[in-house]
Amino acid sequence: MKTHVTLQERLKDLRVEKGLSQDELAAATGISKSTISEYETDETKGISHYAVVQLADYFDVSLDYLFDRSSSRTNDTKDVSVLDLDDRTLEILKNKELNNRLLCELISHPGFKDVLADIEIYIDGIAGQNFQAIQAVMNAYHEKIVRNLKPDRDDIWTALLEANHVEERNYFINRINTELTPILDDLRNAHKKDSETATDTTLKDIILENIPVPQVTEEDPDEDVAKIFFNSFCATSGIVPSTVPPEEYNVFKKLMHRSKKYKDMLKSKKNTRKVKRLKERKEKNSEN
């Protein structure tokens, strides 16, 4: 995701956040709709000092926030000492060694406090004794059943008791993962329209779109297989198949005859063709 937000993106985000159309923002600020549209879309469009100040006042944000020089919307200077952060953390945040924008969104998510609480419980070992007590009870039941009933080694109930062994580490890893997944999904959905976000187009879609479909025939299996390999090679190499002269294509075919994959596919093609012809012949004889 992006680490920097342009002025154009910031203005549009603020307008959308307030639920305003460009017409409504124009009426509220006195800036024409066409100018607002240019401000939101054209990064080369210069914005006058008067308009910037007017928009900042209307949205009640600082100029530093508009120009992405600060993540804080207000002009209030905050004493970082109240944050209780160590020097190394302050250095990391100041030098933007991490994606501070993503970090802010992660921390601000309503579900993140539950993730952090469980991490703290695990690190402090607060639940350790409880897990030991649960495991002691399960072990006692298991030993009592084995001693009194003497079940077979493959007894299903004994196996079930053994499977119920609970480890503190695995429990918290699963719990934190369960809590973190919806948070990541929310953030992913929020950034779907970012220019840096990948599209839903899969690698398979790209391959199918760029590899030409070979025009195969039933008469020449060798030519069919050659075209499949040739078109795949052209697609991955950025070559337009129609620009390759016949003599170069024939050289390619000769080289492919040395390939085991080519020979295997050709053999399969010929077998398929043979089976099909036998089937057609059989059907023709049965009709006669």
Side-chain angles (χ1 to χ4, degrees), residues 77-251:
T77 18
K78 296 181 175 62
D79 184 1
V80 295
S81 64
V82 302
L83 299 178
D84 196 24
L85 301 176
D86 60 30
D87 291 339
R88 177 54 183 150
T89 302
L90 288 173
E91 183 183 353
I92 290 172
L93 295 175
K94 181 181 178 181
N95 296 335
K96 296 186 178 181
E97 295 179 28
L98 300 176
N99 186 334
N100 288 356
R101 183 186 179 196
L102 177 58
L103 192 59
C104 289
E105 293 182 15
L106 187 63
I107 294 173
S108 302
H109 192 282
F112 185 72
K113 63 179 182 296
D114 296 327
V115 177
L116 200 61
D118 280 330
I119 292 175
E120 186 176 0
I121 291 171
Y122 173 69
I123 291 175
D124 291 343
I126 296 174
Q129 291 184 347
N130 292 334
F131 274 90
Q132 291 174 14
I134 292 171
Q135 198 56 55
V137 172
M138 297 300 298
N139 290 340
Y141 272 111
H142 181 262
E143 291 177 9
K144 186 174 182 180
I145 290 173
V146 171
R147 183 174 61 252
N148 295 341
L149 301 180
K150 296 181 175 54
D152 296 334
R153 295 181 64 181
D154 57 350
D155 179 75
I156 186 172
W157 301 111
T158 305
L160 183 60
L161 279 173
E162 292 176 351
N164 281 332
H165 181 79
V166 181
E167 291 186 3
E168 180 187 7
R169 179 177 180 276
N170 291 338
Y171 170 81
F172 277 100
I173 286 176
N174 291 332
R175 182 178 174 85
I176 291 168
N177 180 63
T178 301
E179 293 170 338
L180 191 58
T181 298
I183 297 176
L184 299 182
D185 288 341
D186 287 345
L187 296 183
R188 182 184 176 97
N189 289 331
H191 291 279
K192 270 189 174 179
K193 293 184 179 180
D194 288 359
S195 57
E196 285 81 2
T197 302
T199 66
D200 292 331
T201 304
T202 65
L203 180 59
K204 178 183 176 183
D205 295 330
I206 296 173
I207 292 174
L208 290 176
E209 181 180 348
N210 289 283
I211 294 182
V213 178
Q215 301 297 319
V216 298
T217 67
E218 291 294 330
E219 299 302 322
D220 190 353
D222 187 32
E223 183 66 16
D224 294 348
V225 176
K227 285 182 177 178
I228 291 172
F229 273 74
F230 178 69
N231 285 319
S232 298
F233 172 77
C234 288
T236 55
S237 305
I239 300 172
V240 179
S242 59
T243 62
V244 179
E247 57 271 19
E248 292 182 7
Y249 172 69
N250 290 331
V251 172

Side-chain angles (χ1 to χ4, degrees), residues 271-286:
N271 288 339
T272 302
R273 179 186 176 198
K274 184 177 180 180
V275 170
K276 184 176 180 181
R277 288 188 174 180
L278 288 173
K279 184 178 179 181
E280 289 175 349
R281 189 180 302 170
K282 185 176 179 180
E283 290 175 351
K284 186 176 181 181
N285 292 336
S286 61

